[in-house]
Amino acid sequence: MAGTSLLFTVCFGGVWQAVQAQQKLVNVVLFEEVSNAHIPESECTSGIFENGRCFESDARRTVAVAALLAISDFNGRDGKVVSRFDDADINACDKNMSLAGFWDTQGSGLQALRGVFALSGQKPMHIVIGPRRSDTATVISPILQLASIPMIAASTTSPLPSSTTRFP
């Protein structure tokens, strides 16, 4: 579902100014919880505890690599893994994506908010993917909405970040 939302937003949405201004490169920023400072070492199930933070399992940490591969396949219109990347609608799309930033939210809304401000000063943010936690997504959603930056947080369970009443 997140893939379909991202494709629609990148190729057909055209709702935010950077893409309406004929920009061909769409900067994607990934917010993911790679570590968590709130989990004590005794409860760190991955066994990787460094600098006061419990790091996620290898499977969780591969999200950034998967994002890079998906962007590469999208830009090459390679449908071997995601068949939709090779259909006529996508081939007609004149946009390419770039992974413009990655931020470890550390399971914290405040840390995610720091990421929004830190990454926005580097390259323009056009789309945010993640974070996966509802409480973190709810913190950054209003800021992104004010900047007209769509956020696709497919694994959140709370309907709040998707509320068009709270975040029109």
Side-chain angles (χ1 to χ4, degrees):
M1 180 163 10
T4 303
S5 298
L6 180 61
L7 291 175
F8 180 81
T9 303
V10 169
C11 290
F12 314 112
V15 294
W16 70 99
Q17 292 136 356
V19 175
Q20 287 178 341
Q22 305 301 321
Q23 185 150 347
K24 302 289 186 200
L25 186 65
V26 178
N27 290 325
V28 177
V29 176
L30 180 63
F31 281 77
E32 181 63 30
E33 181 182 329
V34 177
S35 66
N36 193 318
H38 304 293
I39 298 175
E41 187 171 8
S42 62
E43 295 175 24
C44 182
T45 57
S46 71
I48 305 167
F49 194 86
E50 295 175 11
N51 300 322
R53 297 188 330 226
C54 175
F55 283 80
E56 293 285 346
S57 66
D58 288 343
R60 286 282 186 204
R61 292 184 293 157
T62 59
V63 171
V65 174
L68 282 170
L69 292 172
I71 286 171
S72 175
D73 285 356
F74 174 82
N75 291 344
R77 306 308 192 255
D78 181 349
K80 288 185 211 127
V81 177
V82 180
S83 60
R84 182 101 164 97
F85 286 176
D86 191 29
D87 75 13
D89 288 338
I90 299 303
N91 283 316
C93 176
D94 68 346
K95 308 289 186 249
N96 279 320
M97 290 187 274
S98 170
L99 185 59
F102 175 84
W103 192 265
D104 178 9
T105 65
Q106 300 177 17
S108 161
L110 180 59
Q111 186 64 21
L113 194 56
R114 286 182 181 129
V116 169
F117 292 112
L119 293 172
S120 64
Q122 294 177 9
K123 290 183 181 178
M125 264 193 266
H126 300 133
I127 299 174
V128 168
I129 299 176
R132 71 177 144 108
R133 293 172 49 111
S134 299
D135 57 346
T136 308
T138 302
V139 171
I140 64 172
S141 194
I143 304 298
L144 296 174
Q145 191 270 332
L146 284 171
S148 299
I149 300 170
M151 177 177 69
I152 300 170
S155 61
T156 59
T157 55
S158 169
L160 188 58
S162 298
S163 169
T164 56
T165 305
R166 298 239 358 230
F167 311 111

